[in-house]
Amino acid sequence: MKDFNDKVAVVTGGASGIGRALVKALLQEGARVVVADVEQKALDRVMAEFEALGDITGVVADVSDADSVNSLADHVFEHYGRCHLLFNNAGVAAPSANIWETTPNDWKWVHGVNVLGVVHGIQAFVPRMIASGEPGYVINTSSGDGGISALPYQSVYASSKAAVSCLTECLAAQLQSQDTVLGASVFYPSGGLLETGIWTTDRNRPGNLAREKPTAPVPSIDDFKKAAAAAGMELSFQDLDELAQYCLQGIREQRFVIMIGLEDAAHTLQQRAERIGRGELPIDEAEVPQM
């Protein structure tokens, strides 16, 4: 897919962060964009901010709920009759902890959004996209944390993103082997630190999935910046608009893996493979910070 003009695109988690940047980039390319997000106020802000850029509609949707995602698909196909680009982008994270100190609700919430959210998107949209006979693409947002190499103290989040990478690989192979006109890519947000809502995802955590035991306050991005400055560290942040444009270019080039700095990821994976080949722990223990 080389041209996004007049194409219908759906972006989950589209009201903030990377999703918002993708929505903006798609509108600038002439796409018709459906923004799906669990936050009504954030959705309203994005709609007001971008309405002058083109055809944009907003739908409140909880990707962890299959019925909600099916309703989203109903809206898209009733309104537009087709979908060319599906960005399964919504994601959340749990506090850093040893696995034995995480809680069942940490796993239910994060995997419900990050993994089942992608599955629900595929199940609701892909059959209709295949039936339409029009070329299309599914882009699933993963993370280098899990998709490439796990941060040990982010086991809940990292394992969810590893699952997204795996299921996207399966999806792409299935779409290809069955001669559909659809493709799939895994998108790894990259290029530096990302100033997104992932730092404050607890704002959307449902009460019925609250943590069963207290945890230390999760540092904000501002706290992280201050701590880094105090330690004399210089942080490198990736511009989200540039990242979104990079993602769209990856779709144009039909890259399965869309990631800035892919050469570094390949080196990391090679080192992990060598450790696995020796029967060793793939994570370098020297790189594991002490909690």
Side-chain angles (χ1 to χ4, degrees):
M1 186 176 294
K2 306 293 185 183
D3 183 8
F4 302 117
N5 186 53
D6 204 39
K7 299 296 189 298
V8 177
V10 177
V11 183
T12 69
S16 64
I18 295 166
R20 176 189 171 279
L22 287 167
V23 168
K24 180 181 177 182
L26 288 161
L27 287 168
Q28 291 173 332
E29 294 280 347
R32 302 179 178 190
V33 184
V34 179
V35 186
D37 203 281
V38 74
E39 291 187 85
Q40 180 70 67
K41 290 182 179 179
L43 195 59
D44 292 341
R45 286 196 298 269
V46 165
M47 295 292 294
E49 183 180 6
F50 292 156
E51 62 181 353
L53 292 181
D55 186 342
I56 180 173
T57 58
V59 177
V60 174
D62 177 359
V63 298
S64 69
D65 182 341
D67 289 340
S68 182
V69 181
N70 280 321
S71 293
L72 170 64
D74 289 342
H75 168 83
V76 172
F77 280 86
E78 287 169 6
H79 193 73
Y80 293 105
R82 60 198 190 280
C83 175
H84 302 101
L85 294 158
L86 172 64
F87 291 83
N88 288 310
N89 171 75
V92 297
S96 297
N98 294 314
I99 295 176
W100 57 90
E101 293 169 338
T102 62
T103 76
N105 279 349
D106 286 340
W107 294 87
K108 290 176 184 177
W109 182 49
V110 173
H111 281 244
V113 174
N114 294 4
V115 183
L116 286 179
V118 174
V119 172
H120 293 156
I122 292 167
Q123 291 178 337
F125 280 88
V126 168
R128 307 187 209 203
M129 292 169 72
I130 292 173
S132 75
E134 297 197 25
Y137 235 83
V138 179
I139 304 91
N140 296 329
T141 300
S142 181
S143 171
D145 179 12
I148 304 299
S149 181
L151 289 175
Y153 293 111
Q154 275 291 331
S155 56
V156 181
Y157 178 80
S159 60
S160 75
K161 290 304 184 178
V164 171
S165 295
C166 179
L167 70 88
T168 308
E169 184 175 346
C170 294
L171 174 66
Q174 291 162 4
L175 293 172
Q176 191 174 85
S177 67
Q178 295 179 37
D179 295 325
T180 74
V181 289
L182 305 184
S185 293
V186 60
F187 173 40
Y188 294 103
S190 44
L193 290 169
L194 303 172
E195 201 160 348
T196 73
I198 201 71
W199 294 84
T200 58
T201 51
D202 260 5
R203 70 191 186 279
N204 291 324
R205 187 162 179 162
N208 66 315
L209 292 178
R211 271 193 128 240
E212 296 89 338
K213 55 187 176 182
T215 184
V218 178
S220 68
I221 184 67
D222 290 334
D223 293 334
F224 189 71
K225 289 177 180 178
K226 290 175 184 176
M233 295 171 55
E234 186 174 341
L235 301 178
S236 175
F237 284 86
Q238 171 61 45
D239 181 86
L240 297 184
D241 290 333
E242 292 178 1
L243 181 61
Q245 290 291 346
Y246 187 87
C247 180
L248 297 192
Q249 184 59 31
I251 298 169
R252 287 191 184 95
E253 296 173 2
Q254 296 184 321
R255 279 183 266 149
F256 173 70
V257 177
I258 302 176
M259 182 180 190
I260 297 171
L262 200 53
E263 301 81 5
D264 292 336
H267 178 66
T268 298
L269 288 169
Q270 183 176 4
Q271 288 184 318
R272 287 172 59 81
E274 289 172 355
R275 292 191 184 106
I276 290 170
R278 294 193 297 267
E280 299 172 0
L281 175 68
I283 296 172
D284 185 346
E285 295 181 44
E287 298 173 358
V288 180
Q290 297 299 311
M291 289 192 70

